Amino acid sequence: MKVLIIGGVAAGTKTAAKLKREDRSAKITVITRDKDISYAGCGLPYYVGGLIESREELIVNTPQKYAKMTGVEVKTGKEATALWADKKQVLVKDLFTGEEEVCSYDKLVLAVGASPVELPVPGMKQQGVFKMRTPDDATAIRAYAEENQVKKAVVIGAGFIGLEAAENLKTRGIQVTVIDFAAQVLPNILDKEMAGYVKKHLLKEGIRVITGTKAEEVVGNGKVTGVKTSAGFLGCDLLITAAGIRPNTEFLQDSGLEMFKGTILVDNTMKTNLEGVYAAGDCVMVTNRITGKPQWSPMGSSANMEGRTLAQLLSGKNKTYPGVLGTGIVKLPGLNVGRTGLTEEQAKAAGYEVVSVLAPTDDKAHYYPGAGFFITKLIAEKNTHKLLGVQVMGPGAVDKMIDIAVMGLNMGAALEDFENADFAYAPPFSTAIHPFVQAVYVLLNKLSGDLVSMTPAEYAEGKAKGYKVIDAGLTPSIHGAQYVDPFAVNGEIEGLDKEEKLLLVCAKGKRAYFLQNRMRFYGYKNTVVLEGSTFFNDVKVENPEGAVSPEEEKRVKALGFLKDKNTLDRFNGRVITRNGKITAEEARTIAEAAELFGSGEVTMTSRLTMEIQGVPFANIEPLREYLMQAGLETGGTGSKVRPVVSCKGTTCQYGLIDTFALSEEIHERFFHGYANVKLPHKFKIAVGGCPNNCVKPDLNDLGIIGQRIPLVDMEKCRGCKVCRVENNCPIKVAKVVDGKIVIPENECNHCGRCIGKCPFKAFEEYTNGYRIYIGGRWGKKVAQGRYLDKVFTDKEEVLAIVEKAILLFREQGITGERFADTVARLGFENVQEQLLTDDLLGRKEENIKAQKHLTGGATC
């Protein structure tokens, strides 16, 4: 049997290798237009981010290695240009020589895959514009980002690849904006409310996401500088397009092959309508395993399984391909997102009577270190209880939840089939009742009527209008809601009418369910539990009265909102400016936000953050989301690394270093990079461009001051009676002694004012550097920082000192004390010695994982 396979990535190489194992006599040839075969397309974003270090790691097999291992002939640089099925021939062009040849076959496998959609947007040919489909694409993106020191990027497309690209660009310290024409992220993958949670999470993680937005023009003069969109101009140094793919089937249009929107139609044996022609992979329209209807599911996992099944079929085995569930999973910063089966919207469109539930649970025993959460949405058929689809989010092993669902869907399971499933349990891995089973219990309670609830989607659509919100949390936390402790209810509840419509809300939903159970017993007829409660939903009370609870006040304080003591529910929100510098666009956004959500007034704090005044408690979350859409964030409170302050740097006549660039780098590495690291107290950093100390670097926990160190050529010194260097020294330490200029090393502040002042060129050369102060403090108590003995000339060494200082403070500081106190207690010499060696960095992972300083000492 002579088998020709067109396409050499997942489906093609899998078909060939398996078929050769099934039938060693088969003569199999794989042709591919790329130079690489069998590469890890799903790993490309992680190469860009640096998690995968070398390009070679992306190549599963080289053509030579693959051919030797399988016995399959591989021809690269060959492109199929026509199919003549009646003759069982394919016209093939050599992409290097341009020569054409006719290849015959007994069986033909079309595994031509898909390519990124070419957006009809002017300017796409600029340098710095990339797609992400092949190892060459990933290599080019990473090299471009490194060589051009890219600071800002735009990703067009908020699907799996687009979001993975965004995460990995952020890992490189690049500021990322993701845009998508769809109204949500992960369109056709998640339901609207789940996608909304993902979008908010990405915004909180510093990835700007703008949905419902169309790219209109790529701007640049040969090199990309930005993108004009329907939402405005977005500046960038790098642009990645990930706005979908389309099958590589153009050459098959006149072949007689039956297709739908470019995809090849096959039956359950992967056979096309043409005799002897089969297809598999991203170019194929298969079926949905649940509905039996056609579905395009271009995934590497599906392509491999389709190829394996096809190989068995070609070897004569009685096999069928059952179809796909559309299973997918994506890693985002701090959140993994998986799904399988039908979304609620898809299930309704397919004609099912749908019931769903959203259940937050622990992902392992809550007391076990590193425990996180799952947010699980189950979709089932109302009458039969048959499971239809699952969506799960969480920081941990989301895949295990999805894989359980896949097995259930494959077997046509009903919810009851999971009810007493004996899943593995131990505290490091799961909860005693598995999180998946817990979610099933909640949905079964809903179906039986034991739980009456409202979904987050229904809440977002306004279904709770007219309901009175009852706060059933551990402590009062919902502004304006009546608080009821579920376990204190033993009869009628004062102030609540039994006919009143009541929305019961707690943290995740469990306490609200317990409260509903008791209230129904005591005759309350219209209670509804909000699924996901405050963990998932932004819960507001219409026209709230009274003061904000201490718990809520503490919570929003951690978000950068400080209570105005003259009011019951007004807050001032701190907008982080990175170093005191903002763009005109950001300034406009802050001003607009102040008018929309606050009093219209903006003040500047001593730490160079912008503070929006008079924000009602109910406006805090809308304000934060509005700012995050523009790439701005609130914060700068708590026992953590605080936002960096900077002087004007080289834009000042005295400035010796680019303080803005350095402070932005410190901001990304340590304000963002250490955002979740608790310290004994706040840790403030200031960067000054010269020894004038305009931003008080020596009164911060750590201060960096630019230095210009003169390299004096004493042979050129004439010992002039009137020495210009001596006269120009602002601190009067330069002196002519015995006919030569003398500058005491321990007295010179390296301001650089002497450079170029000697007419005989003795003071022409210099070295720029940095002096680092530690242990400064101002406020209730003042402490003058002391500088390390060494003057640093390497910026990376300076950044390492900053990190080591933070790590030392976390490791050796006592909760509640300032860094100045830690330095005084340990001794300056001891601290300096530790900062000038790398032992602290060696203990970094252990240090950060330790459960320390959980309360912290900062009060503002």
Side-chain angles (χ1 to χ4, degrees):
M1 179 171 58
K2 188 177 181 181
V3 180
L4 178 63
I5 298 176
I6 304 175
V9 186
T13 54
K14 175 57 75 175
T15 303
K18 179 62 176 174
L19 179 55
K20 197 68 175 177
R21 290 194 295 272
E22 295 283 328
D23 182 1
R24 292 301 299 174
S25 68
K27 184 181 179 183
I28 305 171
T29 302
V30 173
I31 66 170
T32 177
R33 61 187 178 188
D34 296 323
K35 64 179 181 180
D36 295 310
I37 68 161
S38 192
Y39 57 80
C42 298
L44 300 181
Y46 304 101
Y47 174 79
V48 171
L51 190 63
I52 296 171
E53 294 184 1
S54 68
R55 183 186 188 279
E56 288 67 33
E57 292 177 78
L58 296 170
I59 310 302
V60 180
N61 279 305
T62 64
Q64 298 76 16
K65 180 182 175 183
Y66 178 84
K68 183 178 181 181
M69 181 174 65
T70 63
V72 172
E73 183 181 11
V74 180
K75 297 182 178 181
T76 59
K78 306 281 187 179
E79 182 177 24
T81 58
L83 165 63
W84 301 311
D86 55 338
K87 301 176 184 177
K88 292 197 169 184
Q89 293 178 338
V90 174
L91 183 63
V92 176
K93 180 180 180 180
D94 189 302
L95 296 177
F96 298 104
T97 66
E99 295 179 1
E100 293 184 327
E101 64 175 314
V102 175
C103 298
S104 60
Y105 62 84
D106 297 321
K107 304 288 184 183
L108 174 66
V109 175
L110 299 170
V112 293
S115 295
V117 170
E118 297 286 343
L119 295 175
V121 176
M124 292 293 286
K125 299 300 182 182
Q126 309 268 1
Q127 286 185 40
V129 179
F130 299 92
K131 58 185 185 298
M132 193 178 294
R133 189 67 179 171
T134 69
D136 284 346
D137 296 331
T139 303
I141 293 168
R142 182 159 139 181
Y144 189 88
E146 291 171 352
E147 291 166 8
N148 293 273
Q149 296 184 323
V150 168
K151 298 295 183 187
K152 289 186 178 182
V154 170
V155 177
I156 301 176
F160 284 144
I161 294 296
L163 295 185
E164 287 172 345
E167 184 210 13
N168 282 279
L169 290 171
K170 182 179 183 294
T171 299
R172 300 194 67 88
I174 297 171
Q175 187 179 336
V176 188
T177 300
V178 179
I179 65 171
D180 200 296
F181 184 68
Q184 67 172 69
V185 301
L186 298 171
N188 303 314
I189 295 170
L190 296 181
D191 280 313
K192 183 179 178 181
E193 77 280 14
M194 297 291 275
Y197 184 94
V198 173
K199 180 179 177 180
K200 284 188 177 182
H201 176 82
L202 290 170
L203 289 168
K204 290 174 184 175
E205 289 290 326
I207 295 177
R208 185 180 182 187
V209 181
I210 308 174
T211 51
T213 300
K214 181 181 179 182
E216 296 174 342
E217 182 183 356
V218 179
V219 179
N221 187 17
K223 190 180 256 190
V224 63
T225 57
V227 187
K228 287 182 181 178
T229 76
S230 55
F233 178 79
L234 301 173
C236 66
D237 317 307
L238 174 72
L239 174 66
I240 294 178
T241 62
I245 57 175
R246 61 183 177 194
N248 297 320
T249 55
E250 296 90 342
F251 76 101
L252 298 168
Q253 294 301 321
D254 299 323
S255 65
L257 199 66
E258 188 175 351
M259 295 192 286
F260 177 75
K261 292 185 177 180
T263 61
I264 302 169
L265 299 180
V266 295
D267 62 16
N268 63 0
T269 65
M270 310 308 294
K271 190 177 186 305
T272 72
N273 65 306
L274 299 178
E275 183 62 33
V277 180
Y278 300 78
D282 289 358
C283 60
V284 170
M285 178 76 77
V286 289
T287 58
N288 182 283
R289 193 159 178 160
I290 299 172
T291 65
K293 296 177 181 178
Q295 179 167 321
W296 186 37
S297 186
M299 298 288 288
S301 51
S302 304
N304 273 281
M305 289 183 283
E306 290 164 18
R308 185 179 189 277
T309 302
L310 176 54
Q312 292 173 301
L313 284 159
L314 291 173
S315 68
K317 289 187 175 178
N318 183 22
K319 288 277 184 177
T320 57
Y321 183 69
V324 296
L325 294 171
T327 306
I329 192 166
V330 62
K331 177 183 177 294
L332 303 175
L335 189 74
N336 302 318
V337 181
R339 59 91 67 203
T340 190
L342 304 176
T343 64
E344 184 172 0
E345 185 179 343
Q346 290 164 351
K348 288 176 179 176
Y352 291 100
E353 187 177 2
V354 173
V355 62
S356 73
V357 78
L358 184 138
T361 61
D362 296 326
D363 66 353
K364 55 178 70 73
H366 66 88
Y367 54 80
Y368 190 81
F373 64 86
F374 288 134
I375 297 172
T376 304
K377 179 174 182 178
L378 301 180
I379 299 109
E381 188 175 21
K382 190 171 184 179
N383 294 326
T384 65
H385 297 188
K386 180 181 177 182
L387 185 67
L388 297 175
V390 177
Q391 297 162 46
V392 186
M393 300 184 291
V398 163
D399 57 319
K400 76 175 182 180
M401 298 283 281
I402 296 300
D403 289 343
I404 289 169
V406 167
M407 287 306 300
L409 291 168
N410 279 353
M411 300 171 71
L415 297 173
E416 287 79 2
D417 293 317
F418 298 100
E419 194 168 0
N420 291 302
D422 190 11
F423 292 122
Y425 163 65
F429 304 103
S430 184
T431 49
I433 297 178
H434 195 279
F436 194 93
V437 178
Q438 288 186 51
V440 168
Y441 286 171
V442 178
L443 185 48
L444 286 172
N445 283 342
K446 184 173 179 176
L447 284 162
S448 69
D450 290 339
L451 166 70
V452 179
S453 65
M454 183 183 297
T455 68
E458 291 170 335
Y459 181 74
E461 289 166 1
K463 189 176 178 181
K465 190 172 180 62
Y467 279 78
K468 182 175 183 177
V469 178
I470 303 299
D471 184 350
L474 279 169
T475 55
S477 61
I478 302 173
H479 181 41
Q482 180 173 339
Y483 179 72
V484 177
D485 181 352
F487 306 115
V489 174
N490 293 299
E492 292 188 13
I493 303 169
E494 186 178 349
L496 294 184
D497 190 305
K498 290 185 177 180
E499 302 294 330
E500 202 171 2
K501 294 165 72 175
L502 305 172
L503 184 68
L504 312 183
V505 185
C506 59
K508 294 182 178 179
K510 186 182 288 188
R511 287 173 61 90
Y513 166 61
F514 292 156
L515 177 60
Q516 182 181 67
N517 181 268
R518 292 197 181 197
M519 292 181 74
R520 291 169 81 179
F521 178 78
Y522 290 115
Y524 290 88
K525 299 176 181 178
N526 294 310
T527 62
V528 176
V529 172
L530 178 59
E531 295 172 17
S533 285
T534 58
F535 192 84
F536 190 88
N537 306 278
D538 294 330
V539 180
K540 296 178 184 175
V541 174
E542 292 182 33
N543 304 314
E545 296 179 359
V548 177
S549 71
E551 289 75 19
E552 280 293 87
E553 189 177 323
K554 183 178 179 182
R555 180 183 69 82
V556 298
K557 189 177 188 179
L559 302 175
F561 288 83
L562 305 177
K563 177 89 177 297
D564 184 336
K565 299 179 182 66
N566 295 318
T567 69
L568 288 173
D569 72 338
R570 302 279 164 159
F571 292 77
N572 299 332
R574 292 181 176 178
V575 185
I576 306 302
T577 63
R578 296 179 298 280
N579 48 25
K581 181 174 71 172
I582 57 173
T583 65
E585 181 186 354
E586 289 170 337
R588 278 191 292 271
T589 300
I590 293 169
E592 290 166 1
E595 289 184 336
L596 289 169
F597 304 103
S599 66
E601 297 175 314
V602 181
T603 62
M604 179 71 79
T605 73
S606 61
R607 294 293 295 175
L608 304 184
T609 58
M610 306 288 284
E611 199 169 87
I612 296 176
Q613 304 288 291
V615 181
F617 181 81
N619 284 357
I620 288 176
E621 286 303 326
L623 168 62
R624 292 184 72 234
E625 187 167 352
Y626 186 85
L627 292 170
M628 286 189 288
Q629 287 275 24
L632 293 163
E633 60 189 319
T634 63
T637 54
S639 296
K640 296 181 179 180
V641 177
R642 292 294 182 87
V644 187
V645 296
S646 165
C647 72
K648 292 170 61 182
T650 51
T651 63
C652 168
Q653 62 171 319
Y654 300 107
L656 306 175
I657 60 171
D658 185 350
T659 58
F660 284 142
L662 179 59
S663 58
E664 286 206 26
E665 195 158 354
I666 293 171
H667 180 84
E668 288 303 321
R669 285 206 199 183
F670 305 116
F671 177 73
H672 283 150
Y674 276 71
N676 296 317
V677 178
K678 286 277 192 177
L679 299 176
H681 211 291
K682 55 193 168 190
F683 190 88
K684 296 181 176 180
I685 302 171
V687 181
C690 76
N692 289 346
N693 289 358
C694 295
V695 289
K696 306 178 181 67
D698 59 337
L699 292 177
N700 278 257
D701 297 286
L702 186 141
I704 301 168
I705 298 178
Q707 305 282 288
R708 182 155 293 167
I709 307 162
L711 302 176
V712 186
D713 186 346
M714 296 305 294
E715 292 184 2
K716 294 180 179 178
C717 176
R718 304 290 180 86
C720 303
K721 289 182 179 180
V722 179
C723 176
R724 293 186 186 179
V725 171
E726 182 178 358
N727 288 344
N728 276 279
C729 179
I731 59 172
K732 306 303 180 184
V733 299
K735 301 287 184 182
V736 176
V737 179
D738 297 329
K740 290 290 182 181
I741 189 72
V742 175
I743 303 178
E745 179 63 29
N746 62 342
E747 295 181 36
C748 177
N749 66 3
H750 303 148
C751 69
R753 303 297 285 176
C754 57
I755 305 300
K757 295 298 187 293
C758 175
F760 302 102
K761 310 297 183 185
F763 282 74
E764 292 298 305
E765 302 298 323
Y766 61 89
T767 299
N768 277 340
Y770 312 84
R771 178 159 271 162
I772 299 178
Y773 284 77
I774 60 171
R777 177 174 65 195
W778 56 323
K780 285 179 284 188
K781 293 182 180 180
V782 177
Q784 189 84 27
R786 181 174 167 184
Y787 59 77
L788 303 182
D789 293 342
K790 181 176 179 179
V791 175
F792 300 90
T793 56
D794 180 5
K795 184 188 72 173
E796 288 303 319
E797 196 174 3
V798 171
L799 293 169
I801 294 290
V802 175
E803 183 162 30
K804 285 184 278 190
I806 296 167
L807 292 170
L808 184 145
F809 188 34
R810 175 172 167 78
E811 180 185 80
Q812 298 167 39
I814 298 170
T815 300
E817 75 176 1
R818 290 295 300 271
F819 187 51
D821 301 322
T822 305
V823 173
R825 179 170 51 79
L826 298 176
F828 176 84
E829 298 300 336
N830 177 356
V831 172
Q832 176 171 240
E833 183 179 351
Q834 292 191 65
L835 296 182
L836 295 177
T837 59
D838 290 335
D839 292 351
L840 285 159
L841 294 176
R843 301 193 298 271
K844 174 181 174 180
E845 187 174 344
E846 175 188 348
N847 185 353
I848 289 177
K849 283 183 177 178
Q851 297 290 300
K852 301 184 71 171
H853 314 302
L854 300 182
T855 55
T859 56
C860 63

